[in-house]
Amino acid sequence: MASIYIDEDVGRDESPATGSESAPYKTLLHAFLQHPPANGTQYLTRKSQTEPAEEGADKLEWKPATKSAMKRTTNAYEQRKKKAAKEQEMAIREKQEADKRQQVLEEAKKVVIKEDTSLPKPVKIRLDETDPAVVKLGSPEAGQGTRVRAVGRVHRLRSQKGVTFITLTDGYGYLQCILSGDLTKTYDAMTLTLETSMAINGEMRAVPPKQHAPNDRELHADFYTVIGRAAGDKDAITNRVSAEADPQTLYDNRHLVLRGETVSAVMKVRAAVLRAFRKTFEETRMLEVSPPAMVQTQVEGGSTLFGFDYYGEKAYLTQSSQLYLETCLPSLGDVFCVCPSFRAEKSLTRRHLSEYTHIEAELDFITFTDLLDHLEAVICRVIDLTLEDPATATHIKQLNPDFKAPSRPFRRMRYSDAIQWLREHDIPNEEGKPHEFGDDIAEAAERKMTDIINQPIFLTHFPAEIKAFYMKKDVEDRRVTESVDVLMPGVGEIVGGSMRMDDWDELMAAYKHEGMDPSPYYWYTDQRKYGTSPHGGYGLGLERFLAWLCNRYTVRDCSLYPRYTGRCTP
């Protein structure tokens, strides 16, 4: 009779255990798997460390496994056998299918397609080109549409009953292409993967009734070539950037995420908004300038400066181009710039970036009311211009179906009135107490107020103590500045602006109050020495503007490659 030993305390279910008395197994199930039940096999068990031996015995004796343990283990063993048999069957089936597919692929390598030279020469098009003067659509049945050549990457792919449907994209649009006949039997067609780049020639036709495709047209292919094959299997793009991936993985693979319809739509809206800003500024006779990004002065406080060594001197990445824009006013008139700004702010909120696109402007010989009127006009004109473009309007409708252009006039609310509003609505400050005059209204409270009011707000006249040194004080209330934040529902502040100090003595006093050495700012201070004037300006964060317009949860989604605390890749 064969005896198999199981010691639940000191036994092992891996090598060098053999089931002998000197090298017992740990579990009865493992003993079954190694030595299946058979006539003449007994399973002896014990707990040598945790079960006391009988009185007078040197050690615990081996005993046959109990009936309940045998029954329980037998059931588990049978289930394990069934599972193993099923897995083996599945492996055999998968191998057979793999072998069969390999045979099919080997046969597919023999299928060679050639372009029919008797057909008209194809017209190369962008995938969004629908001009009937260039691309004539044939009927769904009879055809006779323009023969075109479309190049792009496979965005969607579906095969059925000898027909392959491919949606190509080229960054301009989408085009459904249909392969049939021998075109579906080639090795390239059978191994096609998403993001593979291709050239497809064929006849452009209208989509059959009750069917749908981009621009209601489809390309019936007569020839194609694969230009760049994309990875498949484990490296397929859908595995690299799946919808379930965590945000950091998606940012690590931002170069692939950009290929998605949503992110690419945001980037196209971004480009349209930039065009609209430039056109709006051009309409108002403002000149674009390009200030430096490497500076030796601060604008928004030293704690958020990125410093670096500049040929042995201390220098910084700019926080704002405002000071340089002010120097342009005497000779260039009203000016603006579209430049990156940098803030070394260790903040991980959804509306902060370490590098962002800053649209800044300065206007000469104006009043504070002029500044507010200008801001309102610019924002509304930019929205109007952006929505005038049909393609951009379509993107915005997809991204933000409920978006409505803001109506004028915007609500104008003084800081002191906002403090009272927050108190009346029981919205506390960061310390959990009622807001008091002089508090720097926190982001959360500001956004909550804006969302409740649910309309654009010009929040004005902030206390001088919580604003930048260069902001002009209100002549009627010296406690506050002629300053403004533009607040939008869903995102909060998108613009910060003010009138600038235009008096030499007042600016010198401001330097002293802030403990700043005025000497590095001589070129800025000189503006008050050589023909000073009342002037003001503002800075708009493009990513925040887009987050509002496109209804994005975070400004990171509105940047091509977002830079924020802890991320500077890819």
Side-chain angles (χ1 to χ4, degrees), residues 491-513:
V491 67
E493 179 193 349
I494 63 169
V495 179
S498 76
M499 295 297 289
R500 319 306 192 189
M501 287 183 180
D502 54 60
D503 180 79
W504 170 283
D505 292 332
E506 187 178 14
L507 182 57
M508 295 303 291
Y511 289 136
K512 184 176 181 180
H513 181 269

Side-chain angles (χ1 to χ4, degrees), residues 466-512:
I466 62 173
K467 282 297 183 180
F469 73 92
Y470 52 78
M471 292 189 178
K472 188 174 184 178
K473 292 181 179 178
D474 187 346
V475 294
E476 296 181 359
D477 184 354
R478 303 292 292 177
R479 299 178 306 160
V480 300
T481 54
E482 290 188 326
S483 54
V484 59
D485 283 355
V486 181
L487 312 179
M488 289 295 183
V491 67
E493 179 193 349
I494 63 169
V495 179
S498 76
M499 295 297 289
R500 319 306 192 189
M501 287 183 180
D502 54 60
D503 180 79
W504 170 283
D505 292 332
E506 187 178 14
L507 182 57
M508 295 303 291
Y511 289 136
K512 184 176 181 180

